[in-house]
C-alpha cells in the first residue's frame, strides 16, 4: 500500500456536475475526455456537436427567438443554484428535544446554503415540500444573495446581516428591481429543492397575487409545465379583515402544486385517504370554528368524539353534516349512537339519526343503492342520512374554503403561547394536514425551508398521532430578528427560529399531555443544527505533501479552535452523504473518543494521537466508512499500519481500504 489516505471532500456537490451525471445516464455517446487545465487530470466533458446531432431538429439556435421568462439577474441566479458551498451545519444539542432518539431536524440559517448542504444526504428522498415564502408585499424581508448585488450602493443598502454576512432587506415597491429581486431569491432555491424531491414527490407553495404569475412561470421552468398537478394551483379562501380596502377585498390566496414526476404522483395519490385510514379504529372529522356554531362529523366504522379540539381530520362535503356537540361525548359503537350526547337545542331530527343507527346492521355502516355499496354516512339539515363512495375521499378540490379549513392559524399560536401576536399570519396547521393526507404516506420525509413559526412540524406531529405513521420533517428557517417593539421580542423571542422551536416544543408537549397513551411512541423531538462557516481554516484542501516545512504547523492546526468533535462529525456526515438523524454512540479507548454512527455506517476518531489499540477497536465495529483527523498520523508507517489493520480485520482489498478510509 503506497497510496496516501484520501481527504474527505467537504464541499457540497457542484450542480453542474450533477447535471452532467444525469445527462451521462441517458446520453453517454455525447461525452468525451479532456484534460483539466488546473489539475492536469482527464475529465469527462460534453461534445456539443454530438449532442446537437443526437437532438436533430429539436436543437435551438442561440440567436433564434424563443418563448421564455426572463428577468434581470436570472443567469446569475441559475449559476448560484449550481455553485457549491463549503459551509457546514453545527449541532446545537442544548436547543434540541430528545436528541438521541428523534428523526426530525430543525436547521437555522440561509435556506439556499442549507439546501445545498442537504443534497448529498437527501437527494431524491423528500416526499413532500411545503413552503410559505415572502409574498413580496413591499414589506417582506427578501434574502439578497451575493449574485443579486449590482452596485456598491446596493451592497450597502440598509438592512440586517446575519452572522455569515448574508443580507436580508425589505424589498420595497420603490425598488427598481422589485420583482427581479424576488425572482432572484426564489429561483435558485427551487432549483436546488427539486433535486431533493423523490420521483413521486410533490411541492406546494403558498403565494398571493403579488408574485403568483411570476412564480407560476418559474415553477413551469424548474419542475416542467407537464408536472403541474392538474391545473397546478389551488385557491384557499381566506377571509381576512376588510379594513383599509375600498375597492376589491382579497379573500383568497393561492397554493401552487407541482410534482417531480406527475405520473408517479398520481399513481400513489391519496394513500392516506384509503387503505391506511381503513385500518384505523377511529375515523371522524370535527371542524372547530368559533365563527361557526356547527361542527361537522363524519362517521366511519366505530367513531368517537371527545371534545371539539380532538377531531380535526378533514373530509367534508359542503354543509351536509349539521350536528352540534354542546357537551358530553358522542360515541358510536356497534351500530348504535350512545345516549351521552346533547344536540343543539331541541333539534327536531335527533330521533331520526338515533333511529338510523339503532336499526342499522351491526359493524360498519353501509347502504346498498343501485347495486353499489356506500360506506360513509352524512346527515343533511333535515336529519336524513346521505352517502358517498369511498373513492370520493381521494379527490382533492382546487378550492379550499373556510368551511373546510377555517383560518385559525392565529388561534393555533394563541392556544400554545397564550398570545396571538407572537407571530403574524401563520398558516393553520389543519391546512397542511389536509395536503399531507393526500400526498404524504406514513413514512414520508417532508421539508419546509421557509418554516416560520413551525406550522408544518406541528401538522406532522398531529398527523402521526391521529392517523398513525412515522412521518419525519426537516424545518429550515433564517434567524431573522424580531422587531424590538414586537410582542415576540417582549416575550423573549429574539428571532423567528426561537419562536419556531418553542412552538414545536409546546405543540408536542400538548399532544402528549392530552394523550398519554402515545407519550412513549410519538416522536415530538427534533435535532437543532445551525448553519456556519467551514470547520476548517482557509487553505486546507491540499494534502500534507503540498506544504513546505514552514507550513506544516498550519496544516496540523487546520481545524478552527472553536469547533468540537461533534461539529467535525456532523460536517463529515454531510460530506459523506449520510442522514443527519442517524443514531450515534461514543466510547473512549486509550484516552481517545470513538464515534459510531448508525452501528457502523461511519466510525470516526478526531483525537490527536491515535494508538494501535484505538484503530483495532474501530475495526472491530466492522465499519462501512472510517474517518480520522489528518494530524493523527505523523509518518507514512502509521498510515500503512492503519490500512493493513482494516484490511486484515475486515478482509478489505487495497482499493476498498483506500476508498473507505478518509481524513479531514
Amino acid at each position: 500500500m503506497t497510496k496516501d489516505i484520501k481527504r474527505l471532500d467537504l464541499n457540497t456537490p457542484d450542480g453542474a456536475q450533477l447535471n452532467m451525471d444525469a445527462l451521462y445516464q441517458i446520453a453517454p455517446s455525447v461525452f468525451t475526455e479532456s484534460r483539466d487545465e488546473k489539475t492536469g487530470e482527464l475529465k469527462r466533458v460534453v461534445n456539443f456537436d454530438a449532442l446537437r446531432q443526437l437532438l436533430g431538429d429539436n436543437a435551438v439556435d442561440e440567436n433564434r427567438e424563443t418563448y421564455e421568462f426572463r428577468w434581470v439577474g436570472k443567469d446569475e441566479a441559475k449559476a448560484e443554484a449550481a455553485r457549491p458551498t463549503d459551509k457546514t451545519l453545527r449541532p446545537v444539542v442544548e436547543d434540541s428535544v430528545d436528541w438521541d432518539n428523534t428523526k426530525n431536524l430543525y436547521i437555522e440559517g440561509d435556506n439556499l446554503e442549507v439546501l445545498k448542504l442537504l443534497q448529498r444526504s437527501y437527494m431524491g428522498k423528500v416526499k413532500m415540500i411545503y413552503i410559505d415564502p415572502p409574498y413580496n408585499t413591499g414589506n417582506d424581508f427578501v434574502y439578497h444573495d451575493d449574485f443579486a448585488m449590482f452596485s456598491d450602493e446596493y451592497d450597502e443598502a440598509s438592512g440586517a446581516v446575519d452572522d455569515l454576512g448574508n443580507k436580508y432587506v425589505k424589498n420595497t415597491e420603490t425598488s427598481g428591481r422589485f420583482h427581479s429581486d424576488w425572482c432572484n431569491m426564489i429561483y435558485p432555491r427551487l432549483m436546488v429543492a427539486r433535486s431533493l424531491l423523490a420521483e413521486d414527490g410533490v411541492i406546494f407553495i403558498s403565494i398571493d397575487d403579488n408574485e403568483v404569475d411570476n412564480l407560476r412561470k418559474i415553477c413551469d421552468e424548474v419542475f416542467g409545465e407537464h408536472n403541474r398537478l392538474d391545473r397546478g394551483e389551488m385557491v384557499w379562501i381566506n377571509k381576512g379583515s376588510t379594513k383599509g380596502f375600498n375597492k376589491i377585498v382579497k379573500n383568497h390566496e393561492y397554493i401552487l402544486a407541482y410534482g417531480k414526476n406527475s405520473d408517479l404522483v398520481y399513481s400513489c395519490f391519496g394513500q392516506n385517504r384509503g387503505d391506511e385510514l381503513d385500518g384505523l379504529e377511529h375515523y371522524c372529522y370535527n371542524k372547530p370554528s368559533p365563527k361557526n356554531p356547527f361542527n361537522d362529523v363524519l362517521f366511519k366504522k366505530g367513531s368517537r368524539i371527545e371534545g371539539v379540539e380532538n377531531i380535526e381530520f378533514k373530509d367534508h362535503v359542503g354543509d351536509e353534516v349539521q350536528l352540534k356537540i354542546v357537551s358530553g361525548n358522542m360515541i358510536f359503537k356497534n351500530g348504535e349512537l350512545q345516549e351521552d350526547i346533547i344536540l343543539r337545542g331541541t333539534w327536531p331530527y335527533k330521533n331520526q339519526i338515533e333511529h338510523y343507527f339503532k336499526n342499522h346492521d351491526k359493524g360498519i355502516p353501509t347502504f346498498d343503492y343501485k347495486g353499489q355499496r356506500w360506506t360513509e354516512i352524512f346527515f343533511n339539515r333535515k336529519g336524513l342520512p346521505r352517502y358517498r363512495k369511498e373513492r370520493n375521499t381521494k379527490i382533492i378540490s382546487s378550492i379550499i374554503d373556510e368551511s373546510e379549513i377555517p383560518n385559525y392559524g392565529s388561534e393555533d399560536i394563541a392556544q400554545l403561547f397564550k398570545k396571538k401576536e407572537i407571530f403574524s399570519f401563520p398558516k393553520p396547521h389543519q391546512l397542511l394536514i389536509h395536503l399531507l393526507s393526500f400526498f404524504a404516506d406514513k413514512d414520508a420525509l417532508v421539508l419546509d425551508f421557509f418554516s416560520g413559526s413551525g406550522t408544518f412540524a406541528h401538522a406532522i406531529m398531529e398527523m402521526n398521532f391521529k392517523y398513525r405513521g412515522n412521518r419525519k420533517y426537516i424545518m429550515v428557517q433564517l434567524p431573522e430578528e424580531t422587531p424590538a417593539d414586537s410582542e415576540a421580542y417582549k416575550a423573549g423571542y429574539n428571532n423567528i427560529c426561537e419562536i419556531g422551536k418553542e412552538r414545536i416544543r409546546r405543540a408536542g408537549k400538548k399532544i402528549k399531555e392530552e394523550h398519554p397513551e402515545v407519550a412513549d411512541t410519538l416522536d415530538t423531538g427534533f435535532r437543532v443544527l445551525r448553519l456556519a462557516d467551514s470547520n476548517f481554516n482557509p487553505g486546507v484542501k491540499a494534502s500534507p505533501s503540498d506544504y513546505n516545512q514552514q507550513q506544516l504547523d498550519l496544516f496540523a492546526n487546520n481545524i478552527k479552535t472553536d469547533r468540537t468533535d461533534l461539529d467535525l462529525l456532523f460536517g463529515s456526515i454531510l460530506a459523506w452523504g449520510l442522514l443527519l438523524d442517524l443514531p450515534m454512540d461514543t466510547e473512549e479507548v486509550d484516552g481517545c473518543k470513538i464515534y459510531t454512527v448508525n452501528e457502523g455506517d461511519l466510525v470516526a476518531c478526531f483525537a490527536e494521537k491515535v494508538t494501535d489499540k484505538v484503530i483495532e477497536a474501530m475495526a472491530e465495529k466492522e465499519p462501512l466508512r472510517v474517518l480520522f483527523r489528518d494530524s493523527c498520523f505523523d509518518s507514512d508507517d502509521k498510515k500503512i499500519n492503519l490500512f493493513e489493520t482494516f484490511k486484515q480485520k475486515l478482509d478489505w482489498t487495497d482499493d476498498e481500504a483506500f476508498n473507505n478510509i478518509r481524513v479531514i
Side-chain angles (χ1 to χ4, degrees):
M1 170 66 67
T2 58
K3 295 181 179 178
D4 198 4
I5 303 179
K6 280 186 178 181
R7 295 185 66 81
L8 186 62
D9 184 2
L10 300 169
N11 281 342
T12 59
D14 186 308
Q17 186 59 49
L18 293 176
N19 294 333
M20 291 269 288
D21 294 341
L23 180 60
Y24 186 76
Q25 295 300 315
I26 59 174
S29 62
V30 305
F31 284 81
T32 185
E33 289 184 343
S34 177
R35 195 166 297 280
D36 191 309
E37 294 181 358
K38 295 181 180 178
T39 65
E41 297 180 356
L42 289 176
K43 66 176 183 178
R44 197 167 59 199
V45 294
V46 175
N47 183 328
F48 274 94
D49 289 336
L51 179 59
R52 192 173 288 272
Q53 288 177 348
L54 189 67
L55 297 175
D57 294 337
N58 296 309
V60 178
D61 293 332
E62 290 184 7
N63 296 325
R64 185 187 301 179
E65 291 184 347
T66 58
Y67 174 78
E68 61 179 326
F69 179 38
R70 300 290 302 174
W71 66 86
V72 176
K74 180 179 181 179
D75 290 341
E76 283 299 320
K78 188 178 295 186
E80 178 60 27
R83 193 169 291 135
T85 179
D86 64 353
K87 291 184 172 58
T88 189
L89 297 178
R90 301 182 67 184
V92 188
V93 179
E94 61 273 17
D95 276 8
S96 305
V97 175
D98 197 16
W99 171 275
D100 290 331
N101 302 303
T102 186
K103 308 298 286 183
N104 302 312
L105 302 175
Y106 188 98
I107 305 176
E108 303 178 15
D110 185 304
N111 50 21
L112 179 56
E113 300 286 347
V114 172
L115 290 172
K116 291 179 180 181
L117 287 168
L118 295 178
Q119 277 185 301
R120 276 202 181 100
S121 300
Y122 294 93
M123 185 173 293
K125 291 184 172 66
V126 177
K127 184 63 178 290
M128 176 175 162
I129 296 174
Y130 170 81
I131 57 172
D132 187 14
Y135 284 6
N136 211 18
T137 61
N139 294 304
D140 298 312
F141 279 105
V142 173
Y143 302 56
H144 281 288
D145 307 301
D146 291 339
F147 66 84
M149 303 301 171
F150 297 103
S151 66
D152 293 340
E153 293 80 8
Y154 202 49
D155 277 343
E156 296 175 2
S158 59
V161 180
D162 69 16
D163 292 339
L164 301 178
N166 299 311
K167 298 180 181 178
Y168 46 102
V169 301
K170 283 190 176 181
N171 192 31
T172 63
E173 293 179 349
T174 58
S175 169
R177 305 180 182 90
F178 181 65
H179 290 292
S180 291
D181 283 351
W182 191 89
C183 292
N184 283 328
M185 180 275 295
I186 201 69
Y187 185 81
R189 287 162 173 82
L190 293 180
M191 289 279 288
V192 182
R194 181 186 179 277
S195 71
L196 301 179
L197 275 179
E199 287 303 307
D200 61 352
V202 294
I203 183 170
F204 295 96
I205 309 173
S206 286
I207 200 69
D208 72 358
D209 56 344
N210 286 289
E211 295 292 350
V212 66
D213 292 335
N214 290 334
L215 181 60
R216 190 183 296 111
K217 292 183 179 71
I218 288 174
C219 287
D220 282 349
E221 179 174 328
V222 172
F223 299 99
E225 185 175 351
H226 61 288
N227 283 320
R228 290 182 183 178
L229 299 185
D230 288 329
R231 294 186 58 84
E233 70 182 41
M234 290 175 280
V235 176
W236 177 39
I237 307 301
N238 174 18
K239 295 179 181 179
S241 172
T242 60
K243 293 180 180 180
F245 292 94
N246 55 13
K247 295 180 182 178
I248 300 176
V249 179
K250 289 195 298 184
N251 281 331
H252 70 280
E253 295 179 10
Y254 303 94
I255 302 176
L256 300 195
Y258 287 78
K260 180 80 168 284
N261 182 328
S262 58
D263 291 338
L264 293 178
V265 172
Y266 294 139
S267 70
C268 60
F269 174 77
Q271 289 180 357
N272 291 290
R273 312 291 287 191
D275 296 339
E276 186 175 342
L277 290 178
D278 266 347
L280 296 180
E281 180 181 353
H282 307 309
Y283 170 32
C284 49
Y285 169 59
N286 173 266
K287 174 175 66 62
S289 172
K291 298 180 181 178
N292 189 338
F294 292 106
N295 296 297
D296 301 343
V297 179
L298 167 68
F299 294 96
K300 182 176 178 181
K301 291 189 176 179
S303 52
R304 192 167 75 121
I305 295 178
E306 293 182 343
V308 294
E309 73 274 12
N310 293 335
I311 307 299
E312 296 179 351
F313 188 79
K314 186 255 152 232
D315 199 339
H316 181 67
V317 182
D319 61 353
E320 290 176 348
V321 182
Q322 293 292 318
L323 289 178
K324 169 65 178 177
I325 302 171
V326 178
S327 65
N329 294 331
M330 180 171 67
I331 304 176
F332 168 53
K333 290 181 179 178
N334 300 323
E336 293 188 7
L337 184 68
Q338 306 301 301
E339 294 298 330
D340 55 348
I341 175 175
I342 303 174
L343 295 177
R344 184 170 182 261
T346 57
W347 201 42
Y349 306 107
K350 172 184 176 185
N351 292 337
Q352 288 178 259
I353 294 177
E354 292 185 346
H355 175 79
Y356 173 80
F357 281 113
K358 288 179 179 179
N359 291 279
H360 203 280
D361 291 339
K362 305 300 182 183
I364 302 175
T366 59
F367 180 71
D368 291 323
Y369 178 70
K370 293 183 179 181
Q372 296 179 343
R373 196 168 180 83
W374 302 64
T375 60
E376 298 183 19
I377 300 95
F378 295 79
F379 296 92
N380 62 20
R381 295 188 180 189
K382 294 182 179 180
L384 300 176
R386 300 200 43 192
Y387 311 92
R388 286 202 307 145
K389 289 183 181 179
E390 175 66 26
R391 63 178 175 82
N392 286 340
T393 64
K394 295 186 180 182
I395 296 174
I396 187 169
S397 173
S398 63
I399 297 178
I400 307 171
D401 62 35
E402 253 197 337
S403 68
E404 294 181 296
I405 307 294
N407 185 21
Y408 57 86
S410 295
E411 279 72 22
D412 283 345
I413 295 294
Q415 285 184 12
L416 295 171
F417 289 89
K418 311 307 179 186
K419 286 184 179 182
K420 288 186 178 181
E421 298 79 10
I422 292 293
F423 193 89
S424 300
F425 309 115
K427 292 292 185 292
H429 75 281
Q430 191 63 39
L431 174 64
L432 302 185
I433 289 179
H434 175 67
L435 299 176
L436 283 163
S437 67
F438 286 96
F439 296 97
D441 56 66
K442 63 182 181 180
D443 296 313
L445 172 65
V446 305
L447 167 66
D448 182 352
F449 53 92
F450 287 95
S451 67
S453 69
T455 300
F456 204 10
H458 187 170
I460 286 293
M461 290 187 291
E462 288 275 1
M463 191 77 179
N464 284 340
F465 158 62
K466 292 185 181 300
Y467 309 109
R468 316 300 189 268
N470 300 292
R471 299 164 191 86
K472 303 173 287 292
Y473 64 74
I474 302 175
M475 301 289 109
V476 184
Q477 176 60 44
L478 184 77
E480 178 185 319
E481 294 182 358
T482 53
D485 59 349
S486 67
E487 290 299 319
Y489 186 86
K490 294 174 184 177
Y493 303 107
N494 296 321
N495 61 58
I496 292 179
C497 290
E498 293 180 7
I499 298 173
K501 289 180 291 187
E502 184 62 18
R503 191 250 181 95
I504 301 171
R505 293 186 191 106
R506 294 188 181 205
K509 182 180 179 181
K510 184 173 185 289
I511 293 172
K512 289 190 173 183
E513 286 178 347
E514 293 177 350
H515 302 279
E517 70 275 11
V518 301
D520 294 332
T521 58
L522 185 67
D523 185 0
T524 58
F526 54 91
R527 284 183 176 177
V528 177
L529 302 166
R530 187 169 293 149
L531 183 69
D533 281 325
S534 170
N535 290 322
F536 303 89
N537 292 309
V540 300
K541 296 179 181 179
S543 66
S545 60
D546 295 322
Y547 287 77
N548 59 39
Q549 189 63 43
Q550 287 72 30
Q551 294 172 311
L552 285 178
D553 288 342
L554 172 64
F555 191 87
N557 297 293
N558 60 345
I559 297 172
K560 292 179 178 176
T561 56
D562 65 335
R563 303 304 160 98
T564 66
D565 282 2
L566 205 56
D567 292 330
L568 301 181
L569 182 63
F570 271 83
S572 303
I573 286 173
L574 281 171
W576 227 320
L578 300 178
L579 301 183
L580 293 165
D581 62 3
L582 294 176
M584 52 191 65
D585 298 309
T586 306
E587 68 172 295
E588 190 167 313
V589 176
D590 267 3
C592 301
K593 285 187 178 180
I594 299 174
Y595 299 89
T596 304
V597 177
N598 201 34
E599 298 182 350
D601 281 2
L602 170 63
V603 175
C605 181
F606 305 111
E608 289 293 338
K609 295 181 180 180
V610 174
T611 65
D612 292 341
K613 188 175 180 180
V614 172
I615 294 173
E616 290 180 2
M618 295 172 70
E620 288 174 358
K621 297 180 182 296
E622 299 183 355
L624 300 178
R625 303 166 185 85
V626 182
L627 185 66
F628 297 94
R629 278 182 73 162
D630 193 76
S631 57
C632 292
F633 311 102
D634 55 12
S635 70
D636 289 339
D637 290 342
K638 288 189 177 181
K639 293 179 181 179
I640 293 173
N641 182 56
L642 168 71
F643 280 115
E644 292 302 322
T645 299
F646 279 97
K647 284 167 56 181
Q648 292 174 11
K649 294 279 187 181
L650 303 178
D651 198 26
W652 282 352
T653 65
D654 283 356
D655 286 342
E656 285 174 330
F658 184 64
N659 290 324
N660 296 343
I661 301 173
R662 293 284 191 277
V663 294
I664 56 172

